[in-house]
Amino acid sequence: MPRDPFRNYTSRSGSGAYADAAAASSFKRDEEAADSIQRGFQSARGSEVVAAAVAISDAIAGVDRQQPLVRRASQRAFTLELALDAPARTAVAGLMALTFWEAPRWCRGARAHECRCAWDAKNPSACPYPTFDTGYVDERVAVALQLLWLAVAAAHLASNRIAVGASNFWSWRGQGWVAAVCAFALADAVRAAAVAGVGFDWEVTRWRPAPYLRLLLLVGYSKDARSQLRLVAKILPAFLRVATLVGLFVAFVAWFGVVVWPPRASAEGRENFTNFREAAWQLLICLTTANFPDVMLPAYPGGRAEIVRRRLRGTYPRRRPRRRRDPPPRM
């Protein structure tokens, strides 16, 4: 006869009651685990299954990111992070675009007249920073956009911190340094809001960290940019060897020019070789062909749109077609 699995449980009242309670508790745990798979992240088994599914999905899609912890709060934060990923990247791209269309720092306050003027090639010092009536974004609108976009990025980074935990978030693969950059950018945006809205005297005319912080945010959200920077870091030692050779060559030629063409005894020395520093600077300009402004200066007064149009059309003027010469008449 087959053995009855419940015979030992019902033979004695005490042992049977204990076994029934253990079976009921085990059945309850199994039921909770099965429900957690359907509801998502309610128990250890459900979390491991969904985490494995997320890892497989990321592997198929080619996405490299840290996986969330098993805790319920971490799984919910990870869901929120996935929902905010595209808006956060769009916000960072918007911040970079805003950098090109907000009024420069040096065009505000007491120095605003240096920008609202017409550039004269014969007297450049009269208008050192011409803007050619460029339509910049209003200051209050720019501050509002900064606060909105930085808040979206901060929410995305905060959800990532809850999802992956503090140790993973502040590791070298984590987004901790991006969160620090976002915090500094938020502080600068609050300062700009106090200047534009309340009128506090906190204006920065010499140097503002916002454009550089936005660039760092773009690097933090762009894996392609980080990959290219790592590639540059790898080739930097080889490049430094070539740069050192070029620097020594420029230094030697500058010294040679000062010795051969003394500033007091020759016109070349008075013009280009007044001292060693000026000679090295002029040689570096010649080496980098930076003294060739004839192509861009005609388009500079037309503004950015004219420069883009000329760049798309072609920088250099096209050659005129040669005229077809008629054959000489026969005699």
Side-chain angles (χ1 to χ4, degrees):
M1 294 180 60
R3 183 177 178 181
D4 188 1
F6 298 101
R7 184 177 59 182
N8 295 332
Y9 298 155
T10 57
S11 59
R12 290 179 294 178
S13 60
S15 299
Y18 177 79
D20 292 341
S25 177
S26 177
F27 178 76
K28 185 177 181 180
R29 287 196 302 268
D30 294 340
E31 184 179 8
E32 289 179 355
D35 292 340
S36 67
I37 299 176
Q38 298 177 1
R39 293 195 306 264
F41 316 128
Q42 297 297 324
S43 69
R45 182 189 298 181
S47 301
E48 292 174 357
V49 170
V50 178
V54 172
I56 295 174
S57 176
D58 291 347
I60 295 176
V63 178
D64 182 18
R65 57 186 167 194
Q66 294 178 335
Q67 298 302 322
L69 301 178
V70 179
R71 295 193 299 265
R72 181 186 304 179
S74 299
Q75 303 290 352
R76 292 179 177 177
F78 182 67
T79 304
L80 179 62
E81 179 191 357
L82 294 179
L84 291 176
D85 186 69
R89 296 180 184 275
T90 305
V92 172
L95 287 171
M96 285 300 303
L98 183 64
T99 305
F100 295 94
W101 296 107
E102 62 180 354
R105 298 291 101 192
W106 53 84
C107 292
R108 300 178 185 178
R111 301 179 59 184
H113 65 280
E114 296 182 358
C115 299
R116 300 171 185 173
C117 52
W119 182 67
D120 187 6
K122 297 181 180 180
N123 188 15
S125 60
C127 186
Y129 305 109
T131 57
F132 305 104
D133 298 329
T134 303
Y136 292 112
V137 180
D138 184 72
E139 178 65 14
R140 296 185 177 182
V141 176
V143 169
L145 290 175
Q146 290 180 62
L147 292 174
L148 175 61
W149 288 334
L150 287 173
V152 174
H156 178 258
L157 293 170
S159 61
N160 179 261
R161 158 65 180 80
I162 300 173
V164 302
S167 60
N168 294 328
F169 183 74
W170 295 107
S171 63
W172 67 275
R173 289 190 58 191
Q175 297 290 318
W177 69 274
V178 185
V181 171
C182 185
F184 282 114
L186 271 173
D188 184 77
V190 171
R191 182 208 57 80
V195 172
V198 183
F200 288 170
D201 191 15
W202 294 348
E203 185 61 60
V204 180
T205 57
R206 292 183 178 272
W207 183 78
R208 185 186 175 190
Y212 307 97
L213 295 175
R214 295 169 188 173
L215 182 61
L216 288 177
L217 280 176
L218 180 65
V219 173
Y221 273 92
S222 175
K223 295 182 179 179
D224 294 336
R226 295 197 300 272
S227 176
Q228 295 300 320
L229 289 176
R230 286 192 293 267
L231 180 61
V232 170
K234 291 180 180 179
I235 66 174
L236 194 59
F239 174 78
L240 288 178
R241 289 194 291 268
V242 178
T244 303
L245 180 61
V246 173
L248 292 176
F249 174 74
V250 170
F252 174 76
V253 175
W255 169 80
F256 186 81
V258 172
V259 172
V260 174
W261 294 285
R264 298 179 181 179
S266 61
E268 292 84 357
R270 288 190 296 268
E271 184 177 356
N272 297 319
F273 300 97
T274 56
N275 50 51
F276 177 79
R277 184 179 64 179
E278 183 65 23
W281 177 249
Q282 293 296 332
L283 290 172
L284 182 63
I285 291 176
C286 291
L287 183 65
T288 57
T289 65
N291 56 344
F292 187 64
D294 298 339
V295 176
M296 193 55 63
L297 280 181
Y300 188 72
R304 299 178 183 178
E306 178 66 18
I307 292 176
V308 173
R309 188 182 69 83
R310 293 200 177 201
R311 180 65 65 183
L312 294 176
R313 189 184 64 180
T315 304
Y316 298 94
R318 299 178 180 178
R319 293 183 178 180
R320 295 181 180 179
R322 296 181 179 179
R323 295 182 179 180
R324 185 176 181 181
R325 297 181 180 180
D326 297 332
R330 298 180 179 179
M331 300 296 297

